Amino acid sequence: SDLAPFTDFNTYDAQVKNALITVPDTNIKISMVDGRASYGTLSDGGDVTLIRLIGGEKTPTGSTHIFADIAVQSGGTGVFHYIGLFEVKGDTVTHLSSYFIGDRVSLSSARAVPKGANAYTLTVAYLDRKEGDALAEEPTLAKEVSVEVKNGLFVENSL
């Protein structure tokens, strides 16, 4: 197979936590310091937190893709979690793409299955709340979502 999952992705923790990131669903680029960054103004901005790394893959091109749980809080009560895709080449970390998973969910793991050249399906396991649970409840319901990654970018799955 082209992709090699590996378990020592946490060795990239410090590098990824100090990377330049594009705030999900915006064009704002900010540098994280130890996994945190604030953007914008008080009325129109928010905070980005890299919760933790949840997976990684060695790519056929010799770089490494790292998957992280990224939380964005902007104003309201929501804490929006995204899977963030970072590429590590030597000492350089590039944030390639993000994909929305849910509000106040907890991402557990990410695994990739190859789909031809420079493409794979990424399956993200996460915990959500049961239907009818208040958003303040701890998420306990295990769920999965799969999304296609092509050339380092998340692609919306067409049904």
Side-chain angles (χ1 to χ4, degrees):
S1 115
D2 291 329
L3 291 166
F6 67 116
T7 50
D8 61 350
F9 55 83
N10 280 313
T11 57
Y12 295 96
D13 194 62
Q15 265 181 293
V16 175
K17 279 187 170 169
N18 292 293
L20 182 72
I21 187 172
T22 301
V23 179
D25 296 329
T26 75
N27 294 320
I28 301 167
K29 288 184 188 299
I30 47 174
S31 288
M32 291 187 295
V33 176
D34 199 24
R36 293 179 173 274
S38 296
Y39 65 94
T41 62
L42 222 51
S43 60
D44 184 29
D47 296 297
V48 176
T49 307
L50 191 149
I51 305 295
R52 64 195 176 105
L53 307 188
I54 61 168
E57 297 289 334
K58 301 277 189 194
T59 69
T61 58
S63 66
T64 301
H65 282 180
I66 297 291
F67 313 115
D69 179 356
I70 295 171
V72 178
Q73 245 178 314
S74 56
T77 55
V79 181
F80 300 108
H81 286 260
Y82 295 78
I83 182 85
L85 170 54
F86 295 84
E87 182 175 56
V88 182
K89 279 185 184 167
D91 292 333
T92 307
V93 178
T94 308
H95 175 227
L96 298 177
S97 192
S98 296
Y99 186 82
F100 180 68
I101 303 294
D103 182 4
R104 284 173 272 187
V105 296
S106 176
L107 278 59
S108 335
S109 66
R111 67 178 193 279
V113 175
K115 274 193 76 169
N118 298 322
Y120 52 88
T121 300
L122 187 68
T123 301
V124 179
Y126 66 100
L127 296 176
D128 200 349
R129 283 161 303 282
K130 295 188 230 22
E131 205 173 322
D133 277 1
L135 278 171
E137 299 275 335
E138 279 295 307
T140 56
L141 185 66
K143 289 186 176 179
E144 278 192 346
V145 62
S146 292
V147 61
E148 205 172 315
V149 177
K150 271 190 188 156
N151 300 316
L153 298 175
F154 288 107
V155 181
E156 288 289 343
N157 285 335
S158 48
L159 298 174

